Amino acid sequence: METPISFGTDGWRATLDEFTAPRVRMVGQAVADYLREVEDRDEGTVAVGYDARETSRGFAEELCRVLAANGFDALIPPRDCPTPLAVWTIADRDLAGALVVSASHNPPNYNGVKYFPHDAAPALPEVTDEIMARIAEPRALPEDEQGSVREEDLLEPYAEHVFDLVGVGPDADADLEGLEVVYDAMHGSGRGFTDELLERAGATVHRRRCEQDAEFGGTNPEPSAENLQGLVEAVREKDADLGIANDGDSDRIAVVTPDRGFLDENLFFAATYDYLLESDSGPAVRTVSTTFLVDRVAEAHGEDVVETAVGYKWVAEAMDDSDALIGGEESGGFSIRGHVREKDGVLMALLAGAVENERSYDDRVDALLDEFGEIHQSKVSVDCPDDRKQAVLSELGAELPDEVAGERVEEVNDTDGFKILLEDGSWLLVRPSGTEPKMRVYAEAASEDRVSALLDAGRELVEPLV
């Protein structure tokens, strides 16, 4: 059946003229059929979470009704909640899976739906392909064979787990007493969750944008540097130790420090991994777009790094294969060993508090850069229709240069697009966006000027091909 429904890097997202109740019901039916026909489940419980968008609760209820009509029980929280809470509930209660209605950091005129299987990790393409193949109008079993829908709070079991995992909290040996945090929910689903757990762990929390607002205050709930200048100012005004923000569904984190302001997610990753290695061991998993500074930290501790394509599902798969201590990506999604293999901005906020309370991120990053050298990274986008992306990659692959911005090409990694490694240790990555009609161009080097030169060179490679 031809429909506009398409599962991409992180589920199906679309504007509300395409993301409609009838199509959401079709996704619910496809998931029910997938559970029955592929996983051989005739019953079981599926968690159905949703974010703070005006339409999300209604779409979640539609999914619950379809699942129940097909013989599955549906568990829905009483209010919007972070995506990772719904995913962790799969593992905690041995559920059949979870559906989450969310468009993450996209504008308010978008919505989306994500599916997470029984293993409480992002669905791999072989799963979403099976679901896509079953998109169909909803059906119903006889009434006496149908499941039920129940509403239940998901926070408390999750809170107990993350306090124990991070080692701080009301019943832990350590707490965050003395730590002063400004928390910015960006009007998303982290409000009342991330700030609540930080406070219960002993931190003093100052709240920003912690009221529900379906328009997100006129700013996309994307915790980028340009959207968090108010948080930077608040950290300095309050003389706080740390600023923390989550995206719209709280699966990602951004951090602000007193000295640096917005802390580049790559530096946050490296410093947090370094902290974890002080008391534990294990490799890190990172995407091709994430900093080599993580590799240098790993090497200094005798550990390895696994590199994956962009997309947290690939990070999650590699974390399982390698028993990684931490996995993450430069866009702010991370998880750690002992937790579900889905990015979790709530867990990472609590972990960031624990790291900061022992030694500040500013000090930690300074020490890493003193030891391993300066690292700078940035990215730009080039508009490109979805149906041109593969052609652009093919044409680029046929004409890859021997030199970029004055440096000889040493190696090319084609794990995800083309990552061009240069003789001076810098790199340039060109890959297609999985969520927008764009090509992404990333660069990393030892100076901002060098990064700018590499990004200019990347644009010059891509723009003639679009």
Side-chain angles (χ1 to χ4, degrees):
M1 174 181 294
E2 290 291 327
T3 77
I5 300 168
S6 178
F7 278 74
T9 300
D10 198 14
W12 170 44
R13 293 182 203 171
T15 54
L16 291 172
D17 58 338
E18 290 191 353
F19 194 93
T20 62
R23 289 171 181 156
V24 169
R25 289 193 288 270
M26 292 168 73
V27 171
Q29 184 63 50
V31 168
D33 289 342
Y34 167 79
L35 291 172
R36 183 178 299 109
E37 296 168 9
V38 179
E39 295 200 356
D40 198 27
R41 296 174 183 268
D42 291 324
E43 57 184 19
T45 301
V46 178
V48 181
Y50 55 97
D51 70 12
R53 292 163 195 271
E54 185 175 10
T55 58
S56 292
R57 171 77 190 201
F59 287 135
E61 289 174 348
E62 296 283 4
L63 290 170
C64 288
R65 283 191 281 270
V66 172
L67 290 166
N70 280 267
F72 296 94
D73 295 327
L75 173 65
I76 186 169
R79 55 150 285 190
D80 60 284
C81 74
T83 290
L85 266 74
V87 179
W88 184 80
T89 301
I90 301 173
D92 181 49
R93 307 191 188 190
D94 194 27
L95 304 186
L99 284 158
V100 178
V101 177
S102 174
S104 187
H105 61 275
N106 284 80
N109 64 320
Y110 277 74
N111 216 322
V113 62
K114 310 177 187 183
Y115 174 68
F116 298 89
H118 176 68
D119 64 356
L124 293 170
E126 52 261 38
V127 173
T128 53
D129 287 350
E130 291 283 3
I131 292 171
M132 282 294 300
R134 288 167 171 78
I135 295 293
E137 294 293 337
R139 304 182 300 278
L141 295 173
E143 191 169 344
D144 62 351
E145 297 178 28
Q146 293 183 14
S148 64
V149 179
R150 72 180 187 277
E151 189 175 89
E152 193 170 328
D153 180 71
L154 306 181
L155 177 60
E156 292 309 320
Y158 172 89
E160 183 178 340
H161 162 70
V162 294
F163 284 144
D164 181 63
L165 181 59
V166 176
V168 297
D171 300 317
D173 293 335
D175 59 36
L176 301 182
E177 187 175 354
L179 185 71
E180 198 156 339
V181 179
V182 182
Y183 174 64
D184 189 342
M186 302 193 79
H187 301 295
S189 297
R191 66 189 203 293
F193 291 94
T194 302
D195 50 334
E196 170 77 10
L197 295 189
L198 286 166
E199 209 161 52
R200 284 199 216 174
T204 298
V205 180
H206 305 278
R207 293 167 170 85
R208 294 191 78 251
R209 295 189 282 187
C210 282
E211 308 79 29
Q212 185 171 9
D213 178 355
E215 297 298 314
F216 302 111
T219 301
N220 294 355
E222 165 77 16
S224 60
E226 56 269 29
N227 289 340
L228 293 179
Q229 285 309 300
L231 179 58
V232 172
E233 293 167 9
V235 167
R236 290 171 180 160
E237 287 170 4
K238 300 287 186 184
D239 195 24
D241 301 294
L242 203 61
I244 293 173
N246 292 133
D247 66 332
D249 68 333
S250 302
D251 61 358
R252 294 191 292 138
I253 185 174
V255 166
V256 165
T257 70
D259 291 349
R260 282 184 165 76
F262 184 87
L263 180 63
D264 184 281
E265 294 95 338
N266 290 288
L267 298 177
F268 172 79
F269 188 175
T272 303
Y273 182 37
D274 193 56
Y275 164 83
L276 292 171
L277 286 170
E278 291 172 2
S279 58
D280 207 342
S281 62
V285 175
R286 60 161 181 79
T287 62
V288 292
S289 59
T290 302
T291 182
F292 278 170
L293 184 58
V294 173
D295 303 55
R296 295 171 191 172
V297 169
E299 185 178 2
H301 289 268
E303 299 291 351
D304 297 319
V305 168
V306 180
E307 186 175 67
T308 74
V310 172
Y312 206 83
K313 56 180 174 283
W314 307 120
V315 174
E317 182 181 45
M319 287 183 74
D320 189 36
D321 292 341
S322 64
D323 190 29
L325 182 58
I326 186 171
E329 52 189 0
E330 50 78 33
S331 57
F334 305 95
S335 190
I336 61 174
R337 182 192 292 150
H339 193 49
V340 293
R341 292 176 292 114
E342 165 61 355
K343 54 187 182 288
D344 189 340
V346 183
L347 164 73
M348 294 307 297
L350 200 64
L351 179 58
V355 174
E356 178 72 24
N357 217 32
E358 183 179 290
R359 182 187 179 191
S360 77
Y361 271 99
D362 281 324
D363 285 350
R364 289 176 183 277
V365 171
D366 285 345
L368 291 179
L369 297 182
D370 284 346
E371 183 175 358
F372 301 117
E374 285 288 321
I375 290 284
H376 297 269
Q377 190 184 120
S378 191
K379 62 185 175 183
V380 295
S381 297
V382 177
D383 290 339
C384 179
D386 288 336
D387 60 6
R388 275 291 301 162
K389 288 176 179 176
Q390 289 308 311
V392 168
L393 286 180
S394 295
E395 292 170 29
L396 179 61
E399 298 182 6
L400 284 172
D402 296 324
E403 184 179 287
V404 174
E407 284 291 331
R408 190 175 69 84
V409 174
E410 196 170 68
E411 183 183 342
V412 177
N413 178 340
D414 62 359
T415 298
D416 185 352
F418 295 101
K419 186 174 186 177
I420 303 170
L421 308 177
L422 303 175
E423 202 167 38
D424 66 351
S426 62
W427 54 261
L428 178 73
L429 170 66
V430 177
R431 59 172 296 274
S433 168
T435 57
E436 297 180 280
K438 298 178 185 293
M439 297 296 291
R440 306 290 194 203
V441 182
Y442 305 75
E444 179 171 279
S447 71
E448 291 183 3
D449 287 347
R450 181 66 181 153
V451 168
S452 294
L454 288 170
L455 292 177
D456 288 343
R459 271 192 292 253
E460 290 172 8
L461 287 173
V462 174
E463 285 176 345
L465 305 178
V466 174

